[in-house]
Structure formats: C-alpha cells, structure tokens
Amino acid sequence: MKQYNLGIDIGSTTLKACLVDDNGEYLFGHYMRHNANPPAALAETISELKAQMGDCQLNVVMTGSVGMGYAERLGIPFEQEVLAAALVVKQHYADIHTFIDIGGEDSKMIFFEEGRVPDMRMNGNCAGGTGSFIDQTATLLGVETAMLDTLAAQAQTIYPIASRCGVFSKTDIQNLLARGVSKADIAASMFHAVAMQVVSALARGVEVRPRVLLCGGPFAFLPQLKTHLQQVLRLSDADCILPDHPELIPAMGCALKAIGQRDAILANEKLSSLMKATAVGDAIPNGKTGSNASSLPPLFADDAIYAHWLDLKRGFELPKGDLIEDSQHMDYMQLSNHYTAGLGDATAYYLGVDSGSTTTKLALIDHEGKIVHYDYCFNNGDAFRTFSDALQRLRSRVGHPAQVNIVASAATGYGESLLRTAFSLDYGIVETMAHFMTARALDPNVSFVLDIGGQDMKAIFVANGSIRRIEINEACSSGCGSFIMTFANQLGYGIADFARMACFAKHPYDLGTRCTVFMNSKVKQAMREGAAVDDIAAGFSYSVIKNCLFKVLKLRSTDELGDHIVVQGGTFKNHSVVRALEHLTGKEVSFCDHPELAGAYGAALYALQRNMSEQ
C-alpha cells in the first residue's frame, strides 16, 4: 500500500491539512473554518481525504495554536508552526530572505541569512494586524470578509486606523463612517493598517529585503492585502512570492516533517485508523465530560427552568398602546424589530431617539407614556441615514395619509448632536439620565441601573430616588455588546444563536475578564481543552458581568447595588448575560421586555416632561 505523509494545522479559527508523497510532492489540501468545533472539522477533513485517496497508509504531524492539545491526546508528533513553515522555505524557496505569515490571530516573520540561524518572530498576546482583526472590520462594515477585497480595490483615499488593537480600531472606523467616508476607503485603510502593524510589530528595525514569501489565509483570499503590504515595504511584484496554496504552508511543513517518520502512534497506520481516533466525542471530546477548574455553574439547567424564569420576569414591561403590528413575535433575542399601534390624527405624540455606537433606537409615546411605535436596527456607522430610514418606516406604518402629530422630540446617545442639528429635534439628554428616567418609571424603588450597549457600559447608583454615583467604561469595549458579537461571528454563529446556546451550556468555561485582544488566547485554550461552543458562549456571558463588576466598578461588596437592580441595553436581550449577573451577585435582576429601547424611551419621556413644563 502506498505511503503518504499528512500535515494538520489547527489554528484559532481554521483547520488546514496537506498531504504529500515521500518525494514531497503535493497531493491533497483542505482549508476550512472550524467555528470552534475542531473535532467536527477534523473529521470532515479526514473523510474528504479518504474519499479522494482511499484508505491509504500515512504518517502524521500536527501544528497550530489549537492543534497542540489535539496532538497530545492522539499521540501525534507536534511541530511548532514557525519551524514547520521554515522547513517549507528551506526545501522549496532557497532564495527567500523574509517570510511573512498572517493567520487568524497571530502573525509571523522569519529572516533568513546565509550561514546564520533563521531569526523567527511572532506577535505576542495582541491580535492586532491579523485575520481576526480583518474579520472584525468586516463585521463593523456589515459585509462578508471576502467583500473587503472588492471594496478596497475601489478606494481613493487611505485614512489612519489604529491596527494595534481591535478596541481602538472600532473607534477610528466608527468615526470614519460617521464622517461619510466610503466603505471602500475604510477597507483599503484597514488593509494598509494591517500591513503597517505586521511590519512594525515584527520587523523591529530589521530590514525586510527581497525576496519575500507570503503565506496565510488573509494573503490567499484577500489580494489587496498583498498590494498594501508591498506599498508599505516598497516592494515590486517580482520581489514577492505568493506560492500555490499559501494558506497551507505550515500544514505542508508538517507533511514534509512526517516523511519517513516511524515513531508516532499513528505512523504507518491506515487512514481509517486516524478517522476512528479523531471521531467526535471519542479521543477528542467536543465538550467537557464533567466539571473542572475552568467550569462555572450552568445558567439554566433545562428549558423548564428557563421558561419559569421568563414567567417571573414578564411583569416588568414598557407600557404600550393597542398593538397593530409587532415583528418581535415574543423573540427576546431578535436584533431588528418594530412595533406600531393605532395613531390618532389629533393626539399629541413625543419622540425619543437613542443614536448609539452600533444601533439606532426610536420610541414614540403618547401623553400617558405608552409606546405607540418603536424601531430598532443597526446603524452600520451611518446615524443620519439610519434615523432618516426609521422616520420613513414610521410614516409608512401609520396606515393613513395624515401626518403624525409629534409635538416634542429629544435625542440621546452617540449621535445626539448630529441628529438634533440635522433634524431640528427639540431637546438633547445625557444617556445616563435617559436610562435613569426609564428605570425609575418602571421601578420607582430602583437602586442600581446597569446599561450595556454596543461599545459602552454605564452604571448608575441610586439612593432615595436620586442619582448618587455614575460609572462608565473608558477606552476598552470588553464586556459590551460588540465584544460578544465579534466573538460569536468569529466562531461562525449569529448573536441570537450564540445567546441561546449560552443559556443551556452544561459546563460554562471561565474566560476571566480579559479584553477583546487577550481573550483570543483564552478562547484558544478552551478549544485546546475540548470546550464545547455553548460552554464558550456561556463563558462570555459570565465574562461580560465579571468585567463590569470587578474591572469597571471594582465592587467591594454586591450590597452596593441594593436590592432593586434594573438592567438595560441591547446586550441584555441576551438572557444568559442577565442570568450571569444574578449568579454572580446572588440578587434578583429586573429587565423589561425591550431593554434595548431604554435610552429612546427615556428620551421620549424627557420630551414629554419638558413640553408639559413649558406650556
């Protein structure tokens, strides 16, 4: 039976495999996102290999940030990925001076000098300037990652973007979007920033000289990244080599390393043996079989307990007019929705809008404070257009040609000044006050209000019906809505599915309170240990609350929160986050049926009160 050599590279976001013969000739390659389920991805890869090559004999070597744990379980030799890549360069690209690899959450650079040991460098704990950084930008722009390349090719101007950290880059990109900068220019600016980050973080004074070999998924699938790297380094096309299958280079190095290997458990074994060893739930369980030091208490034991918990929370609702249309359908985790009740021609209405960093919320109330219309959607960085579209939807849902009689309006949030000026809104109100007004309207005895939005967090401590202390997060967006959404998208899930999975995780993984950048390494550790996706999702819910309580508020005792805790903001549409707060504080937490509307509703109440006081 023919002998082959297989290299497997399991990284933070993708799985790569490469098969070569004993002469090092390429026979098979496979690349896929594993979506935090490496066992399933590995089983699929092996199955595809068997379909193409038959039940062949092979030697196996593994690499990758996640692959280490799997190699240990299976008894497969492990090779450090930089060394694996260097082996490919040595055997196939002898004239290379500089090797540059950009992966999902790490980047590498190797300098080759004749007669000297290769100088190998990797990024540290920061994922700035890597594939995940590019994915985050795509999420912010509301496009698929592959679309970034098409957009960047149409760019006219390069703008500065902080690529050293996903937190700071979000602020830069949001500001560019608010200024009306095109997505094409932002995409190109991001590629330029990634190139700058890789060079500055890894070269560190060493000249990047031709010839340069590029590898990694971002270079393989995003040609504009190569273009911008060449511009930064002032290199021509002749100076750079993008090999066949650049995304497979470390896996190919492992395959070359496997040639002639005979000391591994799976050396010289049939492919079917590897398939059996890598079966999901067997040698590499997808999820823990019992609690351990990394486990936290489950949020909900089963559906019945969750349903009972929801029943206890349903009495805390925003007042509404008679329902005509509601797209929510009792789905508390839906991300875009609207509501319209019967609107009378002569009735006076009051409009509140909360223009946040990631979403725009609109609430229209009558003189009794009842919501007669609301609208909630992502703004994709364009607060002006999003609010304009929301007003158009309001007009289209009225059901008759008469104009809605809006006698007063107020704005709050990130885009308050813009909307007040552009649409001549009557009033502006600070976000914390808007949220406090909503909380007090729903619970007059409120003692603590926690609002977690897309990129910010606000905590309001209340005593005797008045605000006594306000805390907000500063530069870091860890523990906010976009923090969870970013990781959900990176793991291949929508935020609603991610939230549901978290609710019923059996062994939530303790991810700590790290920021967005350093959390990447913790997630990789969880995957190496075989944590299931739902356990990771639940871990994020705990992490959000831990970040708030212990990093931002620095609570000495949960008694500081009082006994009437109200939570608001779109993040608390995720019930696993609410439940995590209850577990960590030991207190009951109240939330309304639409926590995402708290700012807009408070602004509408403010417009009502100001209008009444001025009459």
Side-chain angles (χ1 to χ4, degrees), residues 17 245 265 479 504 513 544 584:
H245 314 293
I265 293 174
F504 304 109
T513 58
V544 164
L584 290 170

Side-chain angles (χ1 to χ4, degrees), residues 93 95-96 211-215 226 237-243:
Y93 302 96
D95 62 339
I96 291 299
R211 299 181 75 191
V212 177
L213 181 70
L214 307 176
C215 89
K226 174 177 178 287
D237 285 338
D239 294 329
C240 296
I241 299 175
L242 187 66

Side-chain angles (χ1 to χ4, degrees), residues 207-223:
E207 182 182 4
V208 178
R209 294 191 284 108
R211 299 181 75 191
V212 177
L213 181 70
L214 307 176
C215 89
F219 282 125
F221 305 115
L222 301 168

Side-chain angles (χ1 to χ4, degrees), residues 337 353-362 375-380 382-388 390 393 419 596-597 600:
N337 52 68
V353 56
D354 179 3
S355 179
S357 57
T358 56
T359 57
T360 294
K361 289 78 66 177
L362 182 151
D375 197 291
Y376 173 78
C377 60
F378 284 94
N379 57 33
N380 295 319
D382 191 341
F384 177 91
R385 181 178 295 277
T386 304
F387 182 56
S388 178
R393 286 192 291 273
L419 297 190
E596 74 281 8
L597 297 179

